[in-house]
Amino acid sequence: MSQERLNNNILENLPAEVIKPAYDRNEVTTGIVHLGIGAFHRAHQAWFTENRITAGEKDWGIVGASLRSAGVRDQLVPQNGLYSVVEKSNAGTKVQIVGAVSDVLVGPESPQQLMELLAQKSVRIVSLTITEKGYCHDPASGDLNPQHPDVIHDLANPQAPKSALGYIVGALALRKERGLPGFTVLTCDNLPSNGKLLGNVLGQFAEKVDSELAVWIAENTTTPSTMVDRIVPATTDVDRAELEALIGCRDEAAVMAEPFAQWVVEDNFLRGRPAWDKAGATFVDDVEVYELIKLRLLNGSHSLLAYSGYLAGCETVADVMAVPAFNKLVLHFMQSEATTSIGVPAEFDIAAYQAQLIERFENRALRHRTWQIAMDGSQKIPQRWLGTLRHQLANNGPIEVLSFALANWIRYVSAVDEKGNAIEVSDPLAAELKAICDQYKPQGNEALAANFLAFTPVFGDDLKQSATLQEAVVNWLNKLDAQGTLACVEEAFASL
């Protein structure tokens, strides 16, 4: 098998069925800098942008930046920024080579180089996929966390920031100083009202740097809200080997994705934008309801399947969905708890959307691991579950599945599975969550549930006051102890 890497020089030698960039990459100029150039961005926003560059919008090329490690740079730069988007479904596989990314910088290696890039006049959009924890905010309040280590560092070291906020504010300070206009900061992370949250924390951070600069930034940036959706599991060595056999060269930066892709964007751009709508995106005045539908149905269901499925011994989402009781559980959750918490627009076919989600979850061609989805739960749960939960509690609605989900999450973050095996819990609050389990589990599930619901970084100050919620979580914890997750699901939901 050839070990030659994908690059500009071998594009014409790739199999005819592979979709290749149909434009001269040398004619593309940089209009977008993307912070956090992981797999999701490459399969989503860059993939949408590739469509527009192909259509002739060559001033919207992308330079990516990693704010932590050099891994993605080392994958992409030897390949001239080229990578494959491999669409996998039960019907087959489609490969597209994307050329929208020209270069990748690594922030820690040269912070000044990245800030100078962000300060270039041609850059009109700075987009972000930095995960929920990258916003240095308090998930319960949505405000900047001034005690966040990166915030403390960046305020003390403005020329060598670590956070996206530090880079953006530093670059905007340069633009102000040089008489250049600002740019649109486009968040593409799964956070409710993500543009408003970003504008809020950006303004609060800038105020700590310089109040005059904060005023200028407020007047010279926009932060549109977005809703993004595409299932993009982590690429494995097996995926890369299968792709190499298919296209005849090695692609270290390949991303796997489902055929479905959705992007809803608030149309509030400071200095123009690509015509992403012609590539399938939807531009609206208010993203919030679409965001809620996605967060509470898709993301909420994903986290439900991740924790309960992992504890039931299922490696992937498709494995979980192959268990009939789990299949019924997730549909019941969407219909009885998630959907009823949202004012769904009359023109939106929510039943069709639910059916589409079930079909996407059942896609066996994508190996979307439950462990991967379970990462960073303390950051995700406030967005994915707790809005729905608060609505149902306020309206005396059903919380059967949400309390079951929370009980499974509590079990998961104890870092020990039902068979006594260690769980590698990847979460910024993993130590604190495990400490609650270790301290209060010996006192019984009442004490365990009460102290979890009183953990304000996740649950805020209100949910600990709900006797209904605490009783429901305790009930499920008792059942999980007695039967295990799979038996609980079979008993409670198989007959739905």
Side-chain angles (χ1 to χ4, degrees):
M1 189 69 66
S2 168
Q3 285 300 308
E4 185 173 14
R5 292 279 286 272
L6 176 66
N7 65 76
N8 282 334
N9 296 326
I10 64 171
L11 279 174
E12 61 184 29
N13 300 327
L14 297 180
E17 63 269 20
V18 175
I19 302 168
K20 309 167 191 70
Y23 54 88
D24 185 346
R25 297 186 75 209
N26 293 317
E27 295 177 358
V28 179
T29 57
T30 302
I32 301 170
V33 175
H34 185 82
L35 306 182
I37 184 164
F40 185 80
H41 169 73
R42 304 201 302 276
H44 193 274
Q45 301 98 48
W47 178 81
F48 276 93
T49 305
E50 177 78 0
N51 175 287
R52 302 321 305 149
I53 295 173
T54 301
E57 298 179 37
K58 295 183 180 179
D59 54 346
W60 289 112
I62 299 169
V63 173
S66 296
L67 301 185
R68 299 295 176 192
S69 70
V72 177
R73 189 271 312 276
D74 294 345
Q75 291 175 341
L76 278 170
V77 169
Q79 300 181 180
N80 306 121
L82 295 169
Y83 63 91
S84 310
V85 174
V86 184
E87 292 185 5
K88 290 187 168 187
S89 71
N90 292 334
T93 299
K94 182 174 89 170
V95 180
Q96 177 178 359
I97 308 299
V98 172
V101 179
S102 63
D103 199 6
V104 178
L105 304 185
V106 180
E109 291 183 1
S110 182
Q112 281 296 309
Q113 184 185 10
L114 178 51
M115 277 203 280
E116 284 293 338
L117 171 66
L118 291 166
Q120 283 184 9
K121 185 177 181 180
S122 69
V123 173
R124 289 169 281 163
I125 296 173
V126 175
S127 53
L128 310 170
T129 47
I130 53 176
T131 75
E132 292 91 338
K133 62 188 174 186
Y135 291 81
C136 303
H137 72 300
D138 171 16
S141 69
D143 287 328
L144 182 74
N145 175 7
Q147 301 307 314
H148 192 288
D150 288 356
V151 173
I152 293 170
H153 173 275
D154 290 359
L155 293 173
N157 302 275
Q159 302 307 311
K162 291 184 177 180
S163 73
L165 299 178
Y167 277 107
I168 291 167
V169 170
L172 287 166
L174 289 176
R175 295 174 84 108
K176 176 179 181 288
E177 181 183 307
R178 296 169 184 177
L180 295 173
F183 45 61
T184 294
V185 193
L186 185 68
T187 167
C188 299
D189 283 299
N190 283 318
L191 292 158
S193 302
N194 56 7
K196 293 176 184 174
L197 184 145
L198 172 59
N200 184 45
V201 294
L202 196 62
Q204 291 173 343
F205 184 92
E207 185 67 37
K208 290 182 178 296
V209 174
D210 178 342
S211 58
E212 184 181 330
L213 175 63
V215 171
W216 186 89
I217 288 175
E219 294 172 349
N220 289 273
T221 60
T222 57
T223 57
S225 289
T226 66
M227 186 277 277
V228 298
D229 189 5
R230 194 174 205 185
I231 296 173
V232 182
T235 304
T236 67
D237 289 339
V238 171
D239 293 326
R240 293 186 188 95
E242 289 176 350
L243 177 63
E244 184 177 353
L246 201 61
I247 67 175
C249 64
R250 187 73 176 173
D251 181 358
E252 295 294 345
V255 291
M256 308 295 122
E258 64 175 337
F260 179 92
Q262 185 180 21
W263 196 7
V264 183
V265 189
E266 179 188 353
D267 203 356
N268 180 24
F269 288 76
L270 190 71
R271 297 169 56 213
R273 59 167 174 79
W276 284 314
D277 46 323
K278 294 181 180 177
T282 303
F283 283 93
V284 297
D285 293 330
D286 187 356
V287 172
E288 186 171 350
V289 68
Y290 297 93
E291 185 180 84
L292 282 178
I293 291 169
K294 190 253 179 170
L295 273 170
R296 295 187 180 181
L297 274 75
L298 183 140
N299 297 122
S301 296
H302 246 174
S303 288
L304 164 65
L305 292 168
Y307 298 114
S308 58
Y310 182 97
L311 292 172
C314 299
E315 184 182 357
T316 70
V317 171
D319 293 337
V320 186
M321 294 298 287
V323 179
F326 272 115
N327 205 299
K328 292 179 180 180
L329 164 68
V330 73
L331 183 59
H332 178 65
F333 167 67
M334 289 193 286
Q335 291 175 338
S336 70
E337 297 183 25
T339 298
T340 57
S341 74
I342 305 166
V344 178
E347 66 274 13
F348 189 84
D349 189 339
I350 194 68
Y353 181 73
Q354 293 167 352
Q356 185 182 53
L357 287 180
I358 295 292
E359 182 179 348
R360 292 168 65 194
F361 294 156
E362 291 175 338
N363 183 354
R364 298 201 67 81
L366 280 187
R367 294 191 56 77
H368 204 180
R369 295 172 64 203
T370 51
W371 181 85
Q372 181 192 0
I373 301 165
M375 295 170 68
D376 301 333
S378 66
Q379 311 298 296
K380 294 174 179 176
I381 282 173
Q383 328 303 338
R384 299 182 175 198
W385 291 348
L386 301 190
T388 303
L389 187 60
R390 288 186 173 98
H391 174 92
Q392 298 297 8
L393 288 171
N395 292 277
N396 296 314
I399 61 165
E400 179 186 25
V401 181
L402 281 169
S403 55
F404 170 77
L406 283 171
N408 277 276
W409 177 67
I410 292 169
R411 289 292 302 270
Y412 182 88
V413 297
S414 74
V416 180
D417 70 13
E418 294 175 357
K419 296 179 180 178
N421 300 315
I423 301 172
E424 183 187 348
V425 178
S426 179
D427 191 296
L429 299 179
E432 293 94 322
L433 296 168
K434 187 177 187 305
I436 296 173
C437 293
D438 292 346
Q439 181 174 353
Y440 294 104
K441 177 65 176 176
Q443 300 177 29
N445 286 327
E446 290 80 4
L448 183 62
N451 282 278
F452 259 91
L453 296 176
F455 187 62
T456 55
V458 174
F459 295 99
D461 292 318
D462 58 325
L463 291 175
K464 64 186 177 185
Q465 300 169 21
S466 172
T468 300
L469 175 59
Q470 183 167 333
E471 181 181 342
V473 173
V474 170
N475 180 52
W476 280 119
L477 286 170
N478 289 336
K479 288 184 177 180
L480 292 175
D481 286 345
Q483 301 173 265
T485 295
L486 181 58
C488 283
V489 172
E490 296 278 8
E491 179 182 279
F493 303 107
S495 62
L496 291 175

